[in-house]
Amino acid sequence: MSRSLLAALVDRLPLGGDTNPDRIRFTPDRIKTELLSGLTVALALVPEAVAFSFVAGVHPLVGLYAAFIVGLVTAILGGQPGMISGATGALAVVMVSLVATHGVEYLFATVVLMGLIQIAAGVFRLGKFIRLVPHPVMLGFVNGLAIVIFLAQLSQFQVPDGGGGAQWMGGGQLATMLGLVVLTMGIIWLTPRLTKVVPAPLVGILVVAAVVIGFGINVPRVGDLASIKGGLPLLHIPEVPLNLETLTIIAPYAVILAAIGLIESLLTLNLVAETTGKKGGASRECVAQGLANGVTGFFGGMGGCAMIGQSIINVESGGRTRLSGIAAALFLLTFVVVGSGLIEQIPLAALVGVMFMVVLGTFAWRSLLILRRIPATDALVMILVTVVTVLTDLAIAVVVGVIVSALTYSWNNARRIHARTRFLDDGSKVYEIDGPLFFGSTEGFAEVFTPDADPDRVIVDFETSRVVDQSALQAIEDLAAKYESRGKTLQLRHLTHDCHRLLNRAGQLMVDADDDPDYGLAVDYDVRVGQLGSGH
């Protein structure tokens, strides 16, 4: 079969991620780039999967099988071509207590339930809420992630101390390790300036591995972490009792793991989309992650989610389609089944150098320059998310950042409410309300008015305001009650038809106009019971 015919057949496969006419076509050069990029990612996945297995307290093959299955399923079905998924540290730190307390079989059952929850999140299109993550949170997220990746590599500079623990390298061993790391980074930096035929990280790994093996340099290698030799993953039903007690044990872990996995995956999706310029599908990614975890739980894997470091390696190595992710998963399985002896000889220094280059490329250095030019609250959020990411995990950091940003936004809008006043020829007083009226601004809204000093007829004009929620409706009701108790007339203008229908006491005080706004309220207020309804 000719190369052109092979390219034509591959181009018909659903690997490009969309049906857009300007999608990437699978020429022989493109196929080569995707395969080499996948090989580079697979090499970087091995030590990560092994290390995260140790963190979770499971056998290394449990992490490797998860990296293969999760990576393969999400590469085929995920929302963004080029993304890489696998076993991650953010999930491993949650799993460790479950494994220690109940055993690995309960972990497999938890991963299956985690997958079902993620599928439900995708079906109900909950992934769209990732758009609520503000830009300062994203900057803090990537900065914190870069620091986490950097700190995770420091363990490779430790050696066993003979007593079951570890100690830092010293002397010539440390100098050799650092020298090889710097050599790898230098090769990665220099290669694109000479040729782009082979991904720069792959060149760095191969050259440094050849130097270490050829000269017999005594430095830690992949095999020093653990043996990665194994067979194909086999179907394995989790050996746990199918009863309510088991559900009560695994459900809390499954919910936490599902939330962390989706948050990290969707943020990775956005980051890759910004790099490649191709918009991803959040709901599709949720379903793909769920299917991947559901499957891996039945094949002895620890579950996983998107990996930002490996995704960046893939994208920067030229991976732009689903083929690179599929290739990475298949290469990883090949390493486990038939290539473990060779892969175990790769020096860890080469892989550390690759990840250090990822750190340099991930950290948003521009954010340091704009700290003094952006609002103080945005700078605070960015720094806070970075710190929380390093001290806890990515999901908690993002949630904290979103909450702080939301509170800041609410506080700023609460202070915006004010009124301009003027008098008509007949002596009536007009309050022209400016700013949104919602739960945070109701107190300021009430302080604007002076019922005792106002004339007998008062007009409140909402033309430059917006009634947002039930608290705003209640504030208007309370204002109407104050003027009514004093025997004064209150008229409300430029409120929506929703407000006409939902307001009780103040409803008869409204004045219809052709230019009344027509926006919808975020809540439904039942005028019969004065409570929140079902929403619309």
Side-chain angles (χ1 to χ4, degrees):
M1 181 180 293
S2 67
R3 287 180 16 132
S4 60
L5 179 57
L6 175 62
L9 290 175
V10 175
D11 190 48
R12 292 180 178 271
L13 295 176
L15 302 174
D18 54 51
T19 57
N20 195 303
D22 62 350
R23 68 175 182 171
I24 298 174
R25 295 185 60 82
F26 282 90
T27 63
D29 286 341
R30 169 50 53 187
I31 295 174
K32 180 199 67 177
T33 299
E34 298 291 326
L35 293 178
L36 290 178
S37 180
L39 175 59
T40 306
V41 170
L43 292 172
L45 279 172
V46 173
E48 298 279 297
V50 172
F52 296 147
S53 299
F54 289 152
V55 172
V58 298
H59 192 278
L61 286 178
V62 175
L64 291 168
Y65 287 154
F68 161 64
I69 297 173
V70 174
L72 181 63
V73 174
T74 55
I76 297 173
L77 303 175
Q80 179 66 264
M83 273 180 58
I84 303 296
S85 296
T88 64
L91 300 182
V93 296
V94 178
M95 298 172 180
V96 60
S97 61
L98 173 64
V99 174
T101 306
H102 299 283
V104 70
E105 295 296 330
Y106 277 84
L107 172 61
F108 297 150
T110 301
V111 171
V112 173
L113 181 58
M114 164 192 175
L116 295 176
I117 295 172
Q118 291 178 326
I119 291 173
V123 170
F124 290 104
R125 306 184 70 83
L126 301 183
K128 62 185 178 183
F129 289 105
I130 199 66
R131 70 186 64 173
L132 298 180
V133 177
H135 190 62
V137 176
M138 281 293 296
L139 290 176
F141 168 76
V142 297
N143 288 348
L145 177 70
I147 297 173
V148 169
I149 294 175
F150 172 79
L151 295 176
Q153 307 311 309
L154 297 184
S155 62
Q156 309 301 344
F157 292 89
Q158 295 179 328
V159 293
D161 60 4
Q167 63 183 9
W168 294 102
M169 295 178 179
Q173 189 179 25
L174 177 61
T176 302
M177 184 76 171
L178 289 174
L180 293 173
V181 170
V182 173
L183 175 61
T184 304
M185 297 175 68
I187 293 172
I188 295 174
W189 176 82
L190 181 62
T191 298
R193 291 158 174 78
L194 300 177
T195 178
K196 295 185 179 180
V197 174
V198 181
L202 181 58
V203 175
I205 293 172
L206 295 179
V207 170
V208 173
V211 170
V212 169
I213 296 173
F215 289 94
I217 301 175
N218 183 23
V219 291
R221 308 188 187 189
V222 171
D224 294 329
L225 295 177
S227 173
I228 66 170
K229 184 177 182 180
L232 295 173
L234 301 176
L235 179 63
H236 172 79
I237 306 299
E239 297 177 0
V240 297
L242 299 179
N243 53 37
L244 184 60
E245 181 182 359
T246 298
L247 183 62
T248 58
I249 292 173
I250 68 175
Y253 288 99
V255 171
I256 295 172
L257 290 171
I260 293 174
L262 289 184
I263 290 174
E264 187 165 352
S265 297
L266 294 177
L267 289 176
T268 303
L269 182 140
N270 285 348
L271 189 62
V272 173
E274 290 180 3
T275 303
T276 63
K278 296 184 67 175
K279 184 178 180 181
S283 297
R284 179 172 177 172
E285 183 64 29
C286 292
V287 173
Q289 292 289 336
L291 287 172
N293 284 302
V295 172
T296 195
F298 284 115
F299 282 87
M302 61 184 284
C305 63
M307 306 181 73
I308 295 185
Q310 278 68 20
S311 296
I312 291 175
I313 291 175
N314 187 44
V315 171
E316 292 187 348
S317 297
R320 290 292 186 274
T321 73
R322 300 187 185 279
L323 181 57
S324 59
I326 294 173
L330 295 178
F331 276 126
L332 181 63
L333 181 63
T334 303
F335 297 161
V336 172
V337 176
V338 298
S340 59
L342 181 60
I343 300 303
E344 289 173 3
Q345 295 303 311
I346 295 177
L348 291 176
L351 301 177
V352 171
V354 171
M355 297 310 296
F356 278 175
M357 292 300 288
V358 171
V359 170
L360 294 177
T362 301
F363 196 92
W365 301 101
R366 181 177 56 87
S367 64
L368 301 179
L369 301 177
I370 65 174
L371 276 176
R372 293 186 176 183
R373 301 201 300 266
I374 61 178
T377 52
D378 286 348
L380 173 63
V381 168
M382 187 191 310
I383 296 172
L384 177 64
V385 172
T386 300
V387 172
V388 176
T389 298
V390 175
L391 297 181
T392 58
D393 62 61
L394 303 175
I396 293 177
V398 171
V399 171
V400 169
V402 170
I403 291 175
V404 173
S405 296
L407 292 175
T408 301
Y409 175 81
S410 297
W411 175 253
N412 290 337
N413 277 280
R415 296 188 301 170
R416 284 177 52 194
I417 194 80
H418 65 277
R420 297 181 296 273
T421 59
R422 58 188 175 88
F423 288 89
L424 302 180
D425 294 339
D426 61 1
S428 301
K429 186 176 182 180
V430 179
Y431 286 88
E432 296 177 345
I433 306 301
D434 190 21
L437 180 56
F438 68 112
F439 69 90
S441 60
T442 54
E443 183 175 348
F445 173 76
E447 293 173 352
V448 165
F449 299 92
T450 54
D452 292 326
D454 284 344
D456 291 337
R457 182 170 178 265
V458 174
I459 300 171
V460 184
D461 193 337
F462 289 89
E463 184 174 11
T464 56
S465 179
R466 182 179 181 121
V467 178
V468 177
D469 57 11
Q470 185 269 337
S471 297
L473 296 174
Q474 188 60 50
I476 297 174
E477 293 275 18
D478 294 342
L479 180 66
K482 288 181 181 179
Y483 281 94
E484 183 181 20
S485 66
R486 291 165 174 76
K488 297 181 179 181
T489 301
L490 181 71
Q491 290 186 349
L492 308 174
R493 292 181 177 175
H494 292 111
L495 284 171
T496 68
H497 296 291
D498 272 354
C499 292
H500 285 249
R501 179 171 58 87
L502 299 175
L503 285 170
N504 186 359
R505 180 188 301 273
Q508 70 274 19
L509 305 177
M510 294 186 182
V511 177
D512 289 324
D514 293 337
D515 57 347
D516 281 344
D518 60 358
Y519 60 81
L521 291 177
V523 297
D524 193 350
Y525 190 74
D526 191 326
V527 296
R528 294 170 299 173
V529 297
Q531 296 178 343
L532 283 174
S534 60
H536 61 101

